[in-house]
Amino acid sequence: MARYPSKLYGITGFPLGHSISPALQNWAFQERRFPGVYLAWPEPPEKLGAFFQAVRTLPVSGGNITIPHKEASIKYLDHVSARAKSIGAVNTFFWRDGELWGDNTDITGFLGPLKGRSFKSALILGAGGAARAVIAGLKEIGTPEIIITNRTFAKAQELAAFFGAEALPWDERGKPRADLIVNATSMGMSGRQEDQNPYEESWMRGREGLAYDIVYNPPQTLFLKAAEASGWKTENGLAMFVGQARAAFALWTEGLEMPREAAMQKAAGLLGL
Ligand code: NAP
């Protein structure tokens, strides 16, 4: 290993104050004795073009892209993966043969905890950026029925048309008999939405399924508490978060593995969970 880091990585988004990605990726570089260093680059939208110019001239070896740049970054890249193309959003960039590529590892992260599982019908709560990765992932594993419900119905309709799924008014979300319910809203996340539950316990009673909350802080949201009380299996968003980070790490290091269990513990510690 080089004595000093020789490869530069980082995350851009705006604002970036909450991101634990720098601490997690720097930890992984050290764990794997890889000569990388990962910084936080908060850049407002009007500076995104200049940012990618800097990526090409410094050069920067790779990075992550988060809200609000996931869609707008595509035009600054030479290529994007089929996955990123399928949802029109990138969260990771890296170099291959002198060309700058974009990929979307949120889909990989979302699918991680679902390995070996299949569902007859999935109900997706929310229609924001994260819901796109959720729906693309469920399409990829061949989920026959995908129903999207959202407070702003027009956004559910837009996503349903884009992915060939069904849109359902928010007030009717208790009706479908889905065996997978994914919370892709920000309801339940720490802060002012922590006391919000997007899906009532009584709607889950009398049947079985998996409740998957992509929110990871707190680890047990009101939605997951309600699901557990109804006898449903549960999954929180920590494995998704760590999964997207591991997949990005592998792209930058040409296949080095970020150790999964240790990364889960590290991420939980960084979040104070
Ligand atoms: P976003 O684009 O801002 O979308 C937010 C969604 O939440 C929208 O569908 C919005 O509905 C809905 N919503 C917010 N407040 C609501 C309320 N009071 N009642 C009903 N619906 C409400 O955000 P995002 O990027 O998709 O992220 C959503 C959540 O996923 C966040 O909590 C984020 O932390 C989490 N996430 C986790 C991971 C992970 O790796 N585990 C990755 C990405 C995101 P409207 O359209 O009506 O506003």
Side-chain angles (χ1 to χ4, degrees):
M1 181 199 169
R3 197 177 169 124
Y4 301 106
S6 54
K7 290 171 178 279
L8 180 58
Y9 300 84
I11 181 167
T12 188
F14 199 74
L16 263 191
H18 63 284
S19 178
I20 63 163
S21 294
L24 185 66
Q25 296 291 356
N26 282 318
W27 164 82
F29 287 145
Q30 287 185 2
E31 279 290 302
R32 298 309 318 258
R33 307 205 184 296
F34 185 84
V37 66
Y38 186 111
L39 304 179
W41 295 308
E43 297 293 351
E46 63 274 17
K47 290 181 91 180
L48 195 61
F51 170 77
F52 276 103
Q53 256 172 11
V55 163
R56 288 170 187 276
T57 49
L58 267 175
V60 172
S61 297
N64 286 124
I65 297 160
T66 189
I67 295 166
H69 302 325
K70 287 187 179 187
E71 291 88 18
S73 293
I74 290 177
K75 62 174 176 288
Y76 300 111
L77 302 166
D78 299 320
H79 304 279
V80 294
S81 68
R83 266 187 172 171
K85 216 173 264 174
S86 77
I87 61 170
V90 291
N91 79 324
T92 302
F93 63 91
F94 58 98
W95 293 94
R96 282 292 177 276
D97 302 324
E99 297 191 296
L100 195 55
W101 278 79
D103 199 354
N104 194 305
T105 67
D106 286 334
I107 303 175
T108 321
F110 171 72
L111 287 178
L114 300 185
K115 221 175 205 154
R117 292 180 179 167
S118 63
F119 306 94
K120 294 190 189 79
S121 172
L123 176 66
I124 315 306
L125 311 170
R132 282 183 174 265
V134 167
I135 299 161
L138 291 174
K139 280 264 161 194
E140 206 172 296
I141 61 169
T143 311
E145 184 179 55
I146 299 174
I147 304 163
I148 307 161
T149 184
N150 194 49
R151 177 178 63 178
T152 309
F153 188 49
K155 279 168 71 182
Q157 287 177 306
E158 194 187 310
L159 278 202
F162 184 86
F163 285 103
E166 206 179 302
L168 182 79
W170 184 244
D171 291 344
E172 293 175 28
R173 65 195 183 285
K175 291 184 183 161
R177 309 285 296 169
D179 55 347
L180 171 68
I181 302 173
V182 183
N183 176 34
T185 74
S186 46
M187 296 174 79
M189 72 185 280
S190 71
R192 59 188 172 80
Q193 290 196 287
E194 192 160 346
D195 62 351
Q196 297 177 357
N197 178 9
Y199 201 82
E200 282 176 27
E201 186 183 323
S202 61
W203 300 337
M204 285 180 272
R205 286 226 175 262
R207 60 201 174 94
E208 289 178 351
L210 173 69
Y212 188 162
D213 200 331
I214 70 165
V215 169
Y216 50 79
N217 189 10
Q220 212 195 18
T221 56
L222 286 185
F223 170 52
L224 294 187
K225 280 184 190 157
E228 221 166 78
S230 318
W232 279 47
K233 295 195 176 71
T234 61
E235 191 68 55
N236 71 22
L238 191 62
M240 174 175 172
F241 176 78
V242 171
Q244 63 76 28
R246 292 179 76 236
F249 185 86
L251 286 169
W252 301 327
T253 59
E254 307 218 2
L256 270 189
E257 203 175 307
M258 182 193 295
R260 188 178 181 283
E261 280 316 309
M264 290 283 286
Q265 278 179 23
K266 182 73 191 173
L270 288 168
L271 289 163
L273 307 178

